[in-house]
Amino acid sequence: MEVAVLDKKWIEEHFETLPLWQQSAYTDFAAMVADEANTFPCIPARKGFLSNHLRYSFIGDPREEQSIKTLALCIKEYNKHCQTFGNYTTHTIFFKTPDDMHKFEVADYNNLFWSVLNNLTKFDDIDWPMEIPTDSSHNEWEFCFNGEPYFVSCATPAHKIRKSRHFSTLLMAFQPRWIFEEINHSTAFGRKLKKLIRQRINEYDEIPAHPDLKWYGQKGSNEWKQYFLSDDNDSPSKCPFLRMQNSLIFPQNKEH
């Protein structure tokens, strides 16, 4: 089990020592986020990459229990030092995505994404933060792990129309809630940034910004709906998040 939380400098200095799938994942990510010609919509992610605020972990097949254990340890390690990494830090997780997973549809990845979050909580040994509601229908709910609230987003190989949610492997990004202290509807900076991001989404994707994308805490907003966006404008009616107490459960994906 390799627990590693890496920065851009370390990866680039040790690039040739990485397994090929890790080299490919990082290269694809760097090309996507730093592209000058086709600007990635998420400005904080772009700033975080260029400023070396982001941290990265490479995790095995997300359907395996060992991978979830490793992910839990990596997030705990990230959490120890994340406040020193910079205002645009995010823990970017690249999952090994075998050939059979590249046949998955968006719905399959949606099931897999929520199984990762659900199973992850099995390894959470710190109480849910008192200031964060445990009811996911509450507009101030956020996924929490190791006492830290995170906004979690996901990109997959199956997304085609919503290109900002497409990536060559299964990718999950854990953004600590504290990085949004200056990026919210109550600040002029936050409102300006949101407007610019929306403009870029409309240029980058083949579909307008998803209607579920709203400010944290806004009336009628559900954070969980924003974690995994469909490749259309469909919106789920029921939250798939469950805090696991017993054995891990992985989805049974249909044959392709």
Side-chain angles (χ1 to χ4, degrees), residues 109-243:
Y109 279 109
N110 179 58
N111 292 337
L112 185 56
F113 168 80
W114 285 107
S115 81
V116 170
L117 289 190
N118 289 338
N119 289 324
L120 188 58
T121 64
K122 176 66 179 174
F123 303 104
D124 191 358
D125 45 19
I126 295 181
D127 289 339
W128 195 268
M130 291 189 65
E131 68 275 16
I132 303 295
T134 57
D135 180 0
S136 60
S137 66
H138 196 288
N139 59 1
E140 293 184 353
W141 179 89
E142 194 78 278
F143 173 77
C144 298
F145 185 78
N146 200 47
E148 183 76 52
Y150 287 100
F151 181 86
V152 190
S153 60
C154 183
T156 81
H159 282 80
K160 304 298 181 186
I161 300 170
R162 202 175 297 282
K163 293 181 178 179
S164 56
R165 293 289 178 124
H166 172 83
F167 193 65
S168 56
T169 68
L170 176 62
L171 181 153
M172 290 174 63
F174 290 77
Q175 296 177 282
R177 168 107 318 259
W178 59 262
I179 73 170
F180 298 102
E181 289 176 359
E182 299 299 323
I183 307 174
N184 57 70
H185 63 92
S186 67
T187 67
F189 174 71
R191 293 190 295 271
K192 181 179 179 181
L193 188 64
K194 179 182 178 181
K195 184 178 180 180
L196 185 55
I197 291 173
R198 288 296 175 88
Q199 289 175 351
R200 290 187 176 184
I201 287 175
N202 290 335
E203 294 169 1
Y204 196 87
D205 291 350
E206 296 178 9
I207 190 172
H210 199 287
D212 283 338
L213 291 177
K214 298 177 182 178
W215 288 111
Y216 174 72
Q218 181 180 347
K219 186 176 180 181
S221 175
N222 292 122
E223 289 286 280
W224 67 268
K225 289 187 176 184
Q226 303 177 54
Y227 288 3
F228 190 102
L229 297 180
S230 62
D231 214 21
D232 50 31
N233 284 337
D234 284 352
S235 180
S237 59
K238 183 179 179 181
C239 180
F241 180 67
L242 300 168
R243 293 182 69 190

Side-chain angles (χ1 to χ4, degrees), residues 55-88:
R55 293 298 183 268
Y56 310 90
S57 291
F58 297 97
I59 306 294
D61 189 324
R63 299 167 293 183
E64 298 176 359
E65 180 175 349
Q66 189 62 56
S67 299
I68 306 301
K69 289 181 179 178
T70 304
L71 175 61
L73 291 171
C74 287
I75 295 176
K76 289 176 182 179
E77 182 64 25
Y78 171 81
N79 196 20
K80 289 179 185 176
H81 310 288
C82 65
Q83 302 244 2
T84 68
F85 295 153
N87 292 336
Y88 295 105

